[in-house]
């Protein structure tokens, strides 16, 4: 049974997954190589929790409890847990190296879950010493609010691994959905045209990005594509587009956008850098 969760990567997703897990009584270790990101994650959680207190959704005592259950660490030897959820940079070799290091530190049953949005979980698992303990646990942004978790099984994942992930997701009040390890899984595959067609319209000068967002939001979408890409992070969203495009044999309709590539090259990643399509 999972009691302690180690979340690796204290960025957009890691900090939100850590808070969500602590809000559901898990002991949480939040690990990042960058201590500045750990400090930023802690400050972000304090501010989120403070706003929940102000809205009378939780008490000040609950808010303090949630924070006290999270340990912020930058030493991998402190990452001892029943379940690891990695939410680090979207590069397969870095994720594999991290899992192999964590497998050394942890006990033989520790589950190694990846929050990757687009990489092949099977390819990651193949290179990890314990492929049977690897699976995908794909949260949506922000993980404190979004209910869906895609659980990605590989041909190597054993039953205990999938059961532990599904059970933990349920305990976090999420809705786990089992899916195949196919490019973009389900949601990111279906959502690709939402971003890419909007980018094409802006690229061709048909209209500007603010108008596209305003119109789509007026039709009922919670967030227009550009506002959403800024929330996700343009680096992550672009990496997903490239990954899905390559994995599906480079179909013309899914070609990644030069506008987004330029945003990434200029460091205009969205909310996390203070500037993307919009300024924050
Ligand atoms: N952003 C989203 O909306 C979203 C949604 C679902 C899944 N994801 C996935 O989650 C993962 C993280 O995305 P993000 O948007 O949170 O990224 P991010 O850039 O906001 O954060 C990544 C963090 O990982 C840390 N890091 C990098 N290498 C590390 C290592 N070797 N060990 C420990 N920490 C390391 C960085 O310091 C940074 O704090 C990616 O795999 C992405 O595909 C992202």
């Amino acid at each position: 049974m999972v009691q302690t969760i180690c979340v690796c990567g204290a960025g957009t997703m890691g900090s939100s997954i850590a808070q969500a897990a602590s809000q559901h009584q898990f002991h949480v270790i939040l690990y990042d190589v960058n201590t500045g990101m750990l400090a930023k994650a802690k400050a972000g959680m304090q501010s989120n929790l403070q706003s929940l207190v102000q809205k009378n959704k939780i008490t000040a005592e609950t808010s303090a409890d949630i924070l006290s259950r999270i340990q912020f660490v930058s030493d991998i030897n402190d990452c001892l847990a029943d379940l690891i959820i990695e939410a680090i940079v979207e590069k397969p070799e870095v994720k594999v190296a991290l899992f192999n290091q964590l497998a050394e530190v942890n006990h033989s049953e520790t589950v190694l879950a990846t929050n990757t949005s687009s990489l092949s979980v099977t390819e990651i698992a193949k290179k990890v010493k314990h492929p049977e303990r690897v699976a995908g646990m794909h949260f949506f942004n922000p993980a404190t609010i979004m209910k869906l978790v895609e659980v990605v099984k590989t041909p190597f994942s054993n039953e205990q691994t999938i059961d532990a992930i599904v059970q933990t997701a349920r305990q976090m009040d999420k809705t786990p959905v089992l899916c195949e390890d196919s490019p973009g899984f389900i949601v990111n595959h279906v959502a690709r045209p939402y971003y890419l067609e909007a980018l094409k319209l802006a690229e061709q000068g048909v209209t500007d990005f603010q108008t596209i967002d305003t119109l789509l939001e007026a039709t009922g979408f919670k967030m227009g594509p550009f506002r959403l890409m800024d929330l996700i992070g343009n680096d992550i969203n672009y990496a997903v587009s490239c990954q899905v495009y390559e994995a599906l044999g480079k179909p013309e309709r899914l070609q990644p956008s030069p506008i987004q590539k330029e945003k990434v090259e200029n460091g205009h990643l969205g909310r996390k850098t203070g500037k993307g399509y919009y300024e924050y």
Side-chain angles (χ1 to χ4, degrees), residues 12-13 32 37 87-88 90 95 115 117 139 141 232 272:
T12 309
M13 288 308 287
D32 203 294
M37 289 305 287
I88 65 166
E90 189 75 331
K95 291 185 189 286
N115 183 48
S117 302
F139 288 84
N141 187 0
I232 291 166
K272 64 183 167 187

Side-chain angles (χ1 to χ4, degrees), residues 128-140:
V128 173
K129 275 175 224 145
H130 306 278
E132 71 286 356
R133 283 156 48 193
V134 177
M137 187 175 192
H138 185 222
F139 288 84
F140 289 79

Side-chain angles (χ1 to χ4, degrees), residues 61-102:
E61 198 187 357
T62 305
S63 160
D65 277 355
I66 293 168
L67 267 182
S68 72
R69 271 192 296 275
I70 307 175
Q71 219 183 315
F72 295 82
V73 309
S74 57
D75 182 343
I76 199 152
N77 294 306
D78 292 329
C79 295
L80 292 171
D82 307 309
L83 168 65
I84 309 279
I85 305 173
E86 78 71 22
I88 65 166
V89 57
E90 189 75 331
K91 291 193 178 147
E93 65 285 2
V94 188
K95 291 185 189 286
V96 168
L98 178 71
F99 275 165
N100 277 326
Q101 272 179 292
L102 288 165

